[in-house]
Amino acid sequence: MPASESYVCTLSAEMVTRAKEELNEDPVRRDQDIQAVRDWLSKQPHIRARTDADFLLRYLRGCKFSLEKTKSKLETYYTCKGALPNFFKGRDPKDPHMKNILNLGLMVPLPGYDNLGRRVILGRLGAWDPNKVKPEDLFKAGSMLLDVLFMEDEQISVTGFVQLHDMDDFTIKHVSAFTLPLVKSFMTTWTEGYPIRPKGVHYINTPSAFDAIYTIFKRFMKEKMKKRIKFHGSNVKELYSHIPKEILPQEYGGSAGTFKQLNEEWVRKIEAKRDWFLEDEHFKVDESKRVGKSSTASDLYGTGTGGSFRKLELD
């Protein structure tokens, strides 16, 4: 195998054991499994895909080494990239508009891990102006951060991650920016196309406007995910039993530096991967080469239906 396609393990012995016990990863068969996915991709004329070992291994781990589930998730991911250009085209961290969004700090991984070895991603979903930023651009920024996090920290593909959402400043204007088909597109792409393993979601400072959007997002969640969600009101101290105080920003009573410092560090990391993002735009499905029926956004997400959260509330 060429060096660029070889897997180099950066996991601790403990994480190697966890991958074996929890994800069915066999170090002896690992390279064979990666190659099996490569071989399958080479026989899919409509998919132009990344084939480097690290990328394919993320999908294998996200699917607990089920080859069939891995193939299905890769198929969905690249179909999404072709069908939803508004989500994936123009992921250039040096583009002024995208850079402004990244600087908002909508999603920021915290340093270190929780007590179960999981990264925590802090989200501030009210920190954007719906009059200036489209929800699709939020997805772009979030996916860029997640791609870099996967590249920076192999452990996340074994342990999964935890989300902490501070809903301060979230208003009805934010809710009204989302259409129902857009929410379904978000959720389908995240859950069916990405090899992510969210292990918990914590909400703080939730305003009344949040109830409307949460009710709709919940419709597209799996039951096990619904059980992993916790609400803490404005009680930040209640978080400390779930998220170590030392990995939280100073604004949340922690000692990990200021939120601004943490976000600036991640913006720099994303900018350093600019060439990767520009190259990545070319990896997607070409429906003209698909054998059989082509897929459209409507097929994937039911985007033929309209409606918004504002309308839903009034109904």
Side-chain angles (χ1 to χ4, degrees):
M1 231 188 284
S4 62
E5 296 184 355
S6 301
Y7 167 65
V8 177
C9 183
T10 64
L11 298 174
S12 66
E14 178 191 355
M15 287 299 128
V16 170
T17 300
R18 281 185 65 171
K20 190 171 184 177
E21 293 176 349
E22 299 176 17
L23 306 179
N24 306 312
E25 181 170 342
D26 182 350
V28 176
R29 284 191 48 85
R30 184 193 292 123
D31 287 344
Q32 292 174 254
D33 291 332
I34 292 170
Q35 190 57 46
V37 179
R38 277 200 193 103
D39 292 343
W40 173 77
L41 285 169
S42 71
K43 297 172 184 175
Q44 311 306 311
H46 61 297
I47 304 178
R48 184 178 181 186
R50 290 189 173 277
T51 58
D52 53 284
D54 291 344
F55 178 79
L56 297 181
L57 183 56
R58 284 174 220 142
Y59 274 85
L60 283 163
R61 285 174 174 161
C63 298
K64 296 188 175 181
F65 275 78
S66 163
L67 289 177
E68 291 310 307
K69 288 181 180 178
T70 300
K71 294 173 187 178
S72 176
K73 196 169 278 283
L74 282 165
E75 171 81 50
T76 299
Y77 173 66
Y78 283 114
T79 299
C80 290
K81 288 193 72 179
L84 295 170
N86 287 345
F87 282 16
F88 291 99
K89 192 173 182 179
R91 296 198 306 165
D92 181 354
K94 292 295 182 71
D95 174 80
H97 181 62
M98 285 308 304
K99 187 164 184 174
N100 286 338
I101 296 172
L102 293 171
N103 285 334
L104 292 174
L106 296 166
M107 286 175 59
V108 178
L110 303 182
Y113 306 94
D114 71 3
N115 295 331
L116 295 176
R118 305 172 301 193
R119 289 299 290 262
V120 178
I121 301 174
L122 172 57
R124 301 188 309 154
L125 303 184
W128 59 288
D129 184 347
N131 295 321
K132 297 178 180 179
V133 178
K134 296 178 181 178
E136 294 92 331
D137 290 337
L138 303 182
F139 182 96
K140 282 185 194 177
S143 68
M144 291 167 74
L145 182 134
L146 198 62
D147 283 340
V148 175
L149 180 56
F150 268 114
M151 287 187 267
E152 290 270 328
D153 188 351
E154 183 182 1
Q155 185 166 312
I156 193 175
S157 66
V158 176
T159 61
F161 60 90
V162 173
Q163 296 164 280
L164 167 59
H165 292 305
D166 182 352
M167 302 305 297
D168 196 28
D169 296 325
F170 189 82
T171 68
I172 194 65
K173 283 201 308 181
H174 295 97
V175 175
S176 300
F178 291 88
T179 64
L180 300 182
L182 190 60
V183 171
K184 189 171 185 182
S185 297
F186 280 160
M187 296 298 286
T188 301
T189 305
W190 276 125
T191 60
E192 305 300 328
Y194 272 84
I196 58 174
R197 303 179 62 235
K199 292 299 182 177
V201 184
H202 298 270
Y203 286 100
I204 58 173
N205 299 323
T206 48
S208 57
F210 172 74
D211 296 342
I213 197 167
Y214 176 70
T215 299
I216 304 303
F217 268 94
K218 192 165 67 171
R219 286 170 49 185
F220 304 108
M221 292 180 192
K222 295 178 180 177
E223 284 303 316
K224 66 179 181 180
M225 195 65 232
K226 293 177 185 177
K227 295 176 182 177
R228 294 173 180 173
I229 296 173
K230 298 183 184 298
F231 295 91
H232 302 280
S234 58
N235 188 354
V236 175
K237 291 183 179 179
E238 193 177 284
L239 284 175
Y240 301 157
S241 61
H242 304 279
I243 300 172
K245 193 174 179 180
E246 59 267 22
I247 73 171
L248 286 165
Q250 292 175 10
E251 293 86 342
Y252 297 85
S255 54
T258 67
F259 182 86
K260 184 174 185 291
Q261 290 170 333
L262 297 177
N263 186 55
E264 287 175 346
E265 178 185 352
W266 274 95
V267 172
R268 286 194 294 271
K269 289 182 178 183
I270 294 170
E271 288 178 342
K273 298 292 185 182
R274 182 175 186 251
D275 289 345
W276 186 93
F277 284 113
L278 296 181
E279 178 193 40
D280 191 67
E281 193 162 305
H282 302 292
F283 295 108
K284 58 186 175 181
V285 157
D286 181 347
E287 293 296 345
S288 69
K289 295 181 180 179
R290 186 191 290 271
V291 177
K293 184 179 180 294
S294 295
S295 293
T296 65
S298 181
D299 294 331
L300 283 170
Y301 314 106
T303 51
T305 58
S308 68
F309 291 111
R310 184 185 295 278
K311 181 178 185 299
L312 187 74
E313 285 189 313
L314 294 176
D315 290 344

